[in-house]
Amino acid sequence: MNKTMTRVLSLMSACLLAAPLAAAPAPWYSEGDFAPRERIAVTLTNPHDFDLTDWPITIERGQLPVQNIHEMSLSVVDPTLAGRPEPSKELLARQGGHQMLAETNGRQLDRQLDDLDKDGIWDELFFQVDLAAGQTKTIHLYLGFSQRGWNPHGTHAALGSYCRHLIPFWESAHIGWKLWYPTDVDMYAKRRPRLVSPDLYIQNLDGYGLTHDDGSDIQAVASSFGAGGIGLFEDPADPESISRPRFTAAAATNPDHSGWNIGWLDDTRYAFEVVANGPMRSMIRARTLNWNTGQGQYELEQLYTAYTNQSFSTCRVRYTRFNPGTGGVMLGCGIRKNAREYDFLQDGGTVITIGDDDIVDPDYADDEGAHKVHVEFVGNALVVKDAYRPSYQFVPTRQGNHTFRLPLTEDLSFEYLIAGAWSEGEVYNTPALFKDYIARVSRAYNHPPIIIVNDRIETKSE
């Protein structure tokens, strides 16, 4: 058993042993005239020897002792934080009746309730927390209707008509992603924290030609995996050969459209939807349909998520049709090797590629008037959870790609994480800082905070 798992199990045991010895109930939260009388305690434990900042916390609706909760009747409160003060008259006049009033005994956290399957019932409660190394703390889910609380968005997701075709965008304030090609991710970075995708798709701005502070696309994709893509290893005898939805026998018949499929009826097709759009996380669902590799027929869904104040996106993959023509098929995902890679790290299910680059629109690069910006450091990372038993595989074709092979899972699903940074940004702007960030993210992604949801509703006494 490794040290991380030993620490996780020790902390879980400590939490369970300590639960019956809890002291007097924590003081009850209030905000203005909102004084809820019911709450659910949730205990969070950081199992690591480093701090977690703005770390994602997801609680499924089925984990709560009550299911029928309106989205405006659930408030997440951290009692360890100082409450907001009474707003000034000027702020109250500007923001109106939905402005948060003075808080006591804690501070409300921005949260969202996301309906992932679109049946009209929310499926997951999501928020983000700070946890010191090894810290255990209890937050409360207060039940009771309240209409106050503006929540600025730290993420954005949308479908935009961008240069004559519909593509998805999802981003945080530092890093963004989009699917110019439907299965392989473009990455763009900002020099200053800002959400820029609405400008990109509304004004149809070239991602390589933004204003200085807004940043730039930093990941050329072409025929590669870009900042993240999926595939299938169908030939056990040729481990470097990987099948991908964009590159089929049908697509190969149309040489004028390299990297694009040839038609909805005869080749792979795609569909996209916005699942959630902030404030704390934003999600895009991408469906790949009618994929014929020449050996098998497949369909799948990918759920991409961006998180406030983080430079990574996660992706849940689930195959909905899986008819391989031969045995030994393995799942796969990967990222492009930096074209001028000068640093590389691969440790278990984590891979990082680092290089310098001349940022330029690849479709305009040979023109004498093309605008180029030399960047000393561009970092790109991929993390596959250890639970999926990933094995590293370099695929030299199509620009060279760092990939992982994964054994088939029982439900034909798996998860991975992609991340990026550059020397022009405000965070993780050196190779050392980026590698340290990914090392911590990888450990926390594999072993997230321990969440214990109380199975009863606590009622405020008279």
Side-chain angles (χ1 to χ4, degrees), residues 425-441:
E426 286 195 352
V427 297
Y428 320 123
N429 51 19
T430 68
L433 289 173
F434 183 59
K435 287 192 287 186
D436 179 67
Y437 174 65
I438 296 303
R440 289 181 283 113
V441 165

Side-chain angles (χ1 to χ4, degrees), residues 182-329:
T183 61
D184 302 287
V185 176
D186 277 277
M187 180 170 63
Y188 53 100
K190 297 82 171 284
R191 291 185 174 88
R192 301 290 180 269
R194 196 171 90 80
L195 300 178
V196 303
S197 58
D199 290 341
L200 279 169
Y201 61 78
I202 291 173
Q203 301 181 45
N204 259 227
L205 300 176
D206 185 345
Y208 292 94
L210 297 176
T211 60
H212 182 272
D213 281 357
D214 287 343
S216 172
D217 280 15
I218 60 172
Q219 177 67 67
V221 178
S223 61
S224 76
F225 280 88
I230 56 89
L232 289 169
F233 292 93
E234 292 187 291
D235 186 355
D238 185 3
E240 293 182 353
S241 173
I242 185 169
S243 302
R244 297 166 60 198
R246 284 200 287 142
F247 302 98
T248 63
T253 65
N254 192 351
D256 294 333
H257 293 83
S258 177
W260 300 95
N261 300 104
I262 63 168
W264 297 333
L265 301 181
D266 301 319
D267 203 358
T268 316
R269 59 181 183 266
Y270 311 93
F272 310 106
E273 67 175 326
V274 177
V275 176
N277 189 12
M280 306 304 296
R281 68 175 178 180
S282 292
M283 311 169 81
I284 289 286
R285 180 178 285 119
R287 290 187 173 94
T288 297
L289 309 165
N290 198 42
W291 175 22
N292 185 344
T293 67
Q295 297 186 54
Q297 292 80 40
Y298 307 94
E299 296 187 347
L300 66 137
E301 294 182 353
Q302 292 173 271
L303 187 64
Y304 294 100
T305 305
Y307 303 87
T308 294
N309 295 330
Q310 298 291 356
S311 294
F312 63 77
S313 166
T314 57
C315 182
R316 303 183 203 173
V317 183
R318 181 174 68 92
Y319 279 82
T320 56
R321 182 186 183 195
F322 199 87
N323 297 322
T326 60
V329 176

Side-chain angles (χ1 to χ4, degrees), residues 342-388:
Y342 60 73
D343 198 0
F344 167 73
L345 179 147
Q346 186 265 315
D347 181 14
T350 298
V351 64
I352 302 173
T353 177
I354 289 173
D356 68 325
D357 206 351
D358 290 320
I359 305 297
V360 60
D361 185 339
D363 294 319
Y364 193 43
D366 295 331
D367 195 289
E368 292 183 0
H371 179 64
K372 296 183 180 180
V373 177
H374 181 70
V375 178
E376 294 293 336
F377 152 63
V378 175
N380 195 0
L382 168 68
V383 181
V384 179
K385 288 187 174 183
D386 295 339
Y388 298 110

Side-chain angles (χ1 to χ4, degrees), residues 79-235:
T80 70
L81 301 179
R84 294 171 178 82
E86 190 69 21
S88 66
K89 291 182 179 179
E90 293 77 15
L91 178 61
L92 193 58
R94 183 171 68 251
Q95 297 291 82
H98 298 295
Q99 171 59 40
M100 189 82 75
L101 303 179
E103 297 176 293
T104 63
N105 299 324
R107 183 184 183 92
Q108 275 198 48
L109 304 179
D110 287 341
R111 90 294 183 273
Q112 59 195 88
L113 301 173
D114 295 323
D115 178 8
L116 304 184
D117 58 8
K118 301 305 176 187
D119 66 350
I121 304 171
W122 64 268
D123 302 296
E124 294 182 350
L125 163 66
F126 178 83
F127 55 95
Q128 292 174 237
V129 298
D130 295 343
L131 290 167
Q135 181 185 13
T136 294
K137 71 176 175 182
T138 298
I139 58 100
H140 290 103
L141 312 182
Y142 280 92
L143 307 180
F145 188 78
S146 172
Q147 297 191 75
R148 288 193 294 267
W150 295 109
N151 38 244
H153 283 222
T155 62
H156 185 76
L159 305 181
S161 177
Y162 190 69
C163 191
R164 302 178 58 208
H165 71 125
L166 192 68
I167 71 172
F169 297 77
W170 67 104
E171 65 170 328
S172 66
H174 296 292
I175 294 288
W177 301 268
K178 64 178 183 282
L179 289 173
W180 171 264
Y181 296 103
T183 61
D184 302 287
V185 176
D186 277 277
M187 180 170 63
Y188 53 100
K190 297 82 171 284
R191 291 185 174 88
R192 301 290 180 269
R194 196 171 90 80
L195 300 178
V196 303
S197 58
D199 290 341
L200 279 169
Y201 61 78
I202 291 173
Q203 301 181 45
N204 259 227
L205 300 176
D206 185 345
Y208 292 94
L210 297 176
T211 60
H212 182 272
D213 281 357
D214 287 343
S216 172
D217 280 15
I218 60 172
Q219 177 67 67
V221 178
S223 61
S224 76
F225 280 88
I230 56 89
L232 289 169
F233 292 93
E234 292 187 291
D235 186 355

Side-chain angles (χ1 to χ4, degrees), residues 46-95:
N46 177 3
H48 300 287
D49 58 2
F50 54 87
D51 296 349
L52 294 175
T53 303
D54 286 313
W55 193 257
I57 300 294
T58 301
I59 297 175
E60 295 180 1
R61 179 169 48 84
Q63 294 177 262
L64 302 181
V66 60
Q67 304 294 303
N68 192 19
I69 307 174
H70 186 272
E71 63 180 348
M72 299 189 78
S73 294
L74 192 156
S75 302
V76 180
V77 174
D78 186 339
T80 70
L81 301 179
R84 294 171 178 82
E86 190 69 21
S88 66
K89 291 182 179 179
E90 293 77 15
L91 178 61
L92 193 58
R94 183 171 68 251
Q95 297 291 82

